[in-house]
């Protein structure tokens, strides 16, 4: 066992010493700016704003986003299927029945189209009063930045082929209660999709905080710890045997951090180990509640004077979510990171369902279910008080389903398995803990 561990430690060190991969050169900062300018031009994109005006309101903004997806589809031989999931909604912040529509572009996978990666953002905006649907609410950064990112990701990734499906979504109703995220999560279930990752982008286009602090070298990735779809039994198992830090969303966060360390995007990932910011939320949350791995990208420092604010000047302070407060080179870097992550996820197999047997013995047996599209697996471990996976053992046998680790006492370790595609692309790690699998829990 010592020779095996030495060998793979050397291989890991070699991989870490490899040069960084260049970020995608096809991302256009000019296009990102033009898209945000267009979104701002609709005046307001409030969910309850006018829907039939050709120039103003949420309806005009949605139709424009749909048209952009259709333009992109034409450039790839109509590779995108455009769908418009909708429903009539009433909610605490929607007192009058209102038509809610998401704009979704689907790039079907060539081998396993039911495996899905979603890149999403919300297209709606708001001002100080969340119920005011008529006042100007430009929403440049919140969330014109995320919507522009999604449109640009579709332009770039649609020029490629993937074994699994990529979905690009502009969601409505986020500011009124995460309504669009919930609608898309339900739509995904109706379609029978196995969603292996949701990349939610919300406020991703500025680098200066409201206190003047500038941070253009980091992006935050929020992820849940205990999975939201867990019941009392699962929570008790996780508390006893580990799992509070190993949900699929948390391992997706670790995966994104690894991608950022190998691709020259100019950004480091700051993993924030909570589902969202304090007292706030985003459209990744409905997916987590449905048992789907989902994270939120957001800027390193927020500018509270320029989000959720009426356009005004008060005692010398300028308020309002306007385009002049954005940092488009920063937005381009976040876009490149999203593209790099989505590209790998769409090529990789689904992380395998994994278990570990280690009770009352001096060895550990890690077991996993075969993953469609995998030609090899990698077994990982980490100490229970350590953040990152380490000591990988690669198994180049697509039929393998277990590995015995002699001399490894399981009480002191957490274990996981990743799956490797024919082109070498690797999935996130699926933890061998209660609640670790990258699939919704039964029932």
């Amino acid at each position: 066992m010592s020779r095996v561990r030495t060998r793979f430690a050397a291989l890991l060190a070699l991989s870490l010493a490899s040069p960084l991969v260049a970020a995608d050169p096809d991302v256009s900062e000019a296009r990102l700016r033009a898209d945000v300018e267009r979104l701002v031009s609709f005046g307001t994109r409030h969910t309850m704003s006018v829907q039939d005006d050709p120039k103003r309101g949420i309806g005009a903004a949605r139709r424009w986003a749909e048209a952009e997806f259709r333009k992109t589809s034409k450039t790839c031989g109509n590779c995108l299927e455009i769908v418009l999931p909708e429903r009539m909604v009433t909610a605490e912040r929607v007192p009058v029945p209102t038509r809610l529509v998401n704009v979704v572009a689907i790039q079907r996978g060539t081998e396993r189209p039911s495996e899905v990666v979603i890149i999403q953002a919300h297209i709606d905006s708001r001002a100080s009063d969340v119920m005011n649907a008529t006042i100007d609410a430009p929403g440049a950064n919140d969330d014109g930045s995320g919507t522009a990112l999604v449109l640009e990701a579709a332009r770039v990734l649609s020029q490629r082929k993937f074994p699994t499906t990529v979905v690009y979504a502009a969601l409505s109703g986020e500011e009124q209660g995460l309504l669009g995220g919930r609608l898309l999560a339900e739509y995904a279930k109706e379609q029978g999709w196995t969603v292996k990752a949701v990349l939610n982008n919300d406020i991703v286009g500025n680098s200066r905080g409201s206190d003047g602090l500038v941070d253009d070298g980091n992006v935050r990735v929020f992820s849940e710890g205990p999975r939201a779809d867990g019941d009392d039994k699962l929570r008790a198992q996780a508390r006893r045997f580990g799992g509070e830090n190993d949900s699929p969303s948390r391992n997706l966060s670790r995966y994104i951090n690894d991608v950022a360390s190998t691709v020259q995007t100019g950004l480091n990932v700051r993993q924030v180990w909570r589902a969202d910011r304090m007292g706030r939320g985003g459209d990744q949350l409905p997916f987590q509640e449905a048992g789907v791995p989902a994270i939120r990208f957001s800027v390193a420092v927020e500018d509270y004077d320029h989000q959720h604010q009426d356009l005004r000047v008060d005692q010398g302070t300028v308020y309002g979510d306007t385009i002049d407060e954005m940092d488009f080179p920063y937005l381009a870097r976040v876009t490149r990171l999203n593209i790099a992550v989505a590209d790998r996820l769409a090529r990789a197999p689904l992380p395998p369902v994994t278990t570990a047997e280690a009770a009352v013995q001096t060895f550990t047996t890690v077991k996993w279910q075969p993953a469609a599209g995998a030609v090899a697996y990698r077994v990982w471990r980490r100490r229970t008080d350590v953040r990152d996976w380490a000591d990988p053992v690669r198994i180049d046998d697509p039929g393998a389903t277990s590995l015995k680790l002699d001399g490894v006492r399981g009480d002191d370790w957490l274990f996981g398995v990743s799956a490797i595609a024919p082109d070498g692309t690797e999935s996130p790690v699926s933890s061998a803990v209660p609640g670790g699998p990258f699939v919704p829990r039964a029932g």
Side-chain angles (χ1 to χ4, degrees), residues 108-163:
R108 302 283 181 185
T110 59
E111 298 175 15
R112 304 185 304 280
S114 64
E115 288 184 25
V116 176
V117 177
I118 298 175
I119 308 175
Q120 66 178 31
H122 71 87
I123 195 170
D124 59 302
S125 66
R126 60 164 288 187
S128 298
D129 179 359
V130 71
M131 303 302 291
N132 191 331
T134 60
I135 194 173
D136 279 352
N141 196 20
D142 186 14
D143 189 27
S145 63
T147 302
L149 182 155
V150 170
L151 294 172
E152 186 69 358
R155 295 181 186 115
V156 174
L157 291 173
S158 62
Q159 300 301 314
R160 309 172 190 176
K161 300 291 186 182
F162 300 104

Side-chain angles (χ1 to χ4, degrees), residues 223-239:
S223 63
E224 66 177 359
R227 53 190 300 166
D229 66 335
D231 55 15
D232 288 342
K233 181 179 179 180
L234 178 65
R235 283 188 285 271
Q237 291 174 333
R239 186 171 62 250

Side-chain angles (χ1 to χ4, degrees), residues 296-308:
R296 175 190 178 131
F297 284 103
S298 202
V299 294
V301 289
E302 291 187 59
D303 185 348
Y304 305 114
D305 295 341
H306 298 98
Q307 58 176 258
H308 295 190

Side-chain angles (χ1 to χ4, degrees), residues 19-24 256-268 333 336-337 339-341 344:
L20 292 175
V21 177
D24 200 301
I256 294 169
N257 182 64
D258 290 342
V259 173
S261 69
T262 59
V263 178
Q264 291 178 325
T265 61
L267 284 177
N268 295 314
R333 292 195 287 275
R336 292 187 182 100
L337 179 56
I339 288 172
V341 171
R344 295 192 186 188

Side-chain angles (χ1 to χ4, degrees), residues 81 104 181 189 193 254 276 287 417 426:
E81 175 187 350
V104 180
K189 183 177 180 180
W193 292 347
R254 292 184 174 100
D276 209 309
F287 284 95
V417 179
E426 193 163 352

